[in-house]
Amino acid sequence: MNVVVLGGGIGGLESAIYLRKFGFDVTLVSERDYLYLYPTSIWIPTGERSFEDVCFPLETFAKVHGFELLIDSVEKIIPDAKEVKLKQSKIAYDALVIAIGAGKMPVEGVDHAPSICGKPGESMVLQSQLEKLVAKGSGKIAMGFGGNPKDPSAVRGGPAFEVIFNVHNYLKRKKLREKFELSFFAPMERPGQKMGDKAVEMMFKIFKKEKINMHFGKKITKFSSEGVHFEDETLLESDYTMFIAGGAGHPVIKQSGLP
């Protein structure tokens, strides 16, 4: 049986390795030729890890575990024909594993707010922007995440908490913390609620102790060079903004008629 796995992240790679152990012929399709460890990328903006530290060649895994590796982008899944249309070619399958991750909720001007959970290169943009702001010696930094009103579970806020504390500590080491205004924002009243009330209250206490401003409970309408704009027409001024959008399913799957 020929199994095609879409996605070269941890989920897709683990699926390819697991299926090979059961003797299936496996082709892994990835738009990148490397595995990018998103959980470790939170250290890239502040320089504790380099981009190369969190990238591992997929070809190495393919050789060790015996699956085929195809570097290409997925454009459409055609279930009736058991075929996947790729940007440069197409591939047939007997069974299909979809591990390409979720799409993101659209927000106007999001180019002004790179994401630690976006394309891998965005981590380097965040690092470069932070270095420039530190060289300036002062500024306003805003970090946060969004949600999906139709699916409260489609939220990835953890990395945003981690990165803002990494930046806080980074500025302290450089003896510049008092020169910077740090703010955390989210559209929900109590971000992190799925961790429980005690965890949320502890987070609020830590933010207050470390003088990190909190902007919660307002819908984010857009981002601009000025900062973060909310539905009540208020503005959170920011020289450096990082944002993790809420999940929104995947357009490739939706257009293909798959559930």
Side-chain angles (χ1 to χ4, degrees):
M1 178 181 286
N2 171 39
V3 182
V4 172
V5 179
L6 306 180
I10 292 176
L13 179 59
E14 184 177 6
S15 296
I17 293 171
Y18 184 83
L19 289 165
R20 279 297 299 141
K21 289 181 178 180
F22 282 86
F24 294 106
D25 294 326
V26 178
T27 300
L28 177 68
V29 180
S30 173
E31 64 180 4
R32 298 187 290 269
D33 63 359
Y34 57 89
L35 169 69
Y36 184 73
L37 290 183
Y38 278 95
T40 310
S41 69
I42 61 170
W43 303 102
I44 292 177
T46 48
E48 282 92 343
R49 291 290 185 275
S50 70
F51 187 83
E52 291 73 21
D53 287 336
V54 303
C55 297
F56 299 88
L58 286 172
E59 185 62 39
T60 301
F61 294 100
K63 290 179 179 178
V64 170
H65 297 283
F67 59 82
E68 295 294 322
L69 176 63
L70 180 58
I71 306 302
D72 208 339
S73 299
V74 178
E75 291 192 343
K76 187 176 182 180
I77 300 167
I78 310 171
D80 291 340
K82 288 196 170 183
E83 185 177 274
V84 180
K85 184 180 183 299
L86 307 173
K87 185 175 182 179
Q88 302 178 47
S89 62
K90 61 182 179 180
I91 185 170
Y93 62 84
D94 297 314
L96 183 68
V97 176
I98 301 171
I100 48 182
K104 305 295 190 297
M105 293 290 291
V107 183
E108 182 182 345
V110 76
D111 289 346
H112 292 285
S115 173
I116 198 65
C117 295
K119 294 182 179 179
E122 291 184 52
S123 64
M124 297 297 292
V125 174
L126 288 166
Q127 183 184 52
S128 175
Q129 290 181 350
L130 182 60
E131 288 176 350
K132 289 178 182 178
L133 197 57
V134 166
K136 180 182 175 183
S138 64
K140 297 179 180 181
I141 296 174
M143 296 188 175
F145 61 94
N148 183 337
K150 296 181 179 180
D151 184 1
S153 69
V155 174
R156 194 174 185 185
F161 292 118
E162 293 168 324
V163 174
I164 199 166
F165 286 125
N166 286 350
V167 169
H168 165 79
N169 291 326
Y170 173 76
L171 294 173
K172 284 183 67 175
R173 290 195 300 272
K174 290 188 170 293
K175 302 186 185 305
L176 289 171
R177 178 62 182 90
E178 297 304 317
K179 299 290 185 179
F180 284 83
E181 180 180 313
L182 266 61
S183 299
F184 196 86
F185 62 92
M188 54 286 297
E189 292 284 349
R190 294 172 64 82
Q193 186 62 48
K194 64 182 179 181
M195 296 184 297
D197 289 332
K198 289 184 178 180
V200 173
E201 291 302 325
M202 180 60 69
M203 179 196 71
F204 286 173
K205 289 180 181 179
I206 294 174
F207 277 168
K208 290 177 181 178
K209 177 178 178 293
E210 303 298 348
K211 298 179 181 179
I212 298 174
N213 302 321
M214 293 177 280
H215 294 262
F216 303 148
K218 297 179 182 180
K219 181 181 178 181
I220 302 160
T221 56
K222 69 176 183 177
F223 297 95
S224 72
S225 58
E226 297 177 289
V228 189
H229 300 256
F230 299 97
E231 63 180 344
D232 62 354
E233 299 185 354
T234 57
L235 168 68
L236 171 57
E237 293 184 357
S238 176
D239 304 305
Y240 173 91
T241 307
M242 194 278 290
F243 174 67
I244 301 174
H250 201 286
V252 169
I253 298 175
K254 289 179 180 179
Q255 73 178 19
S256 303
L258 295 178

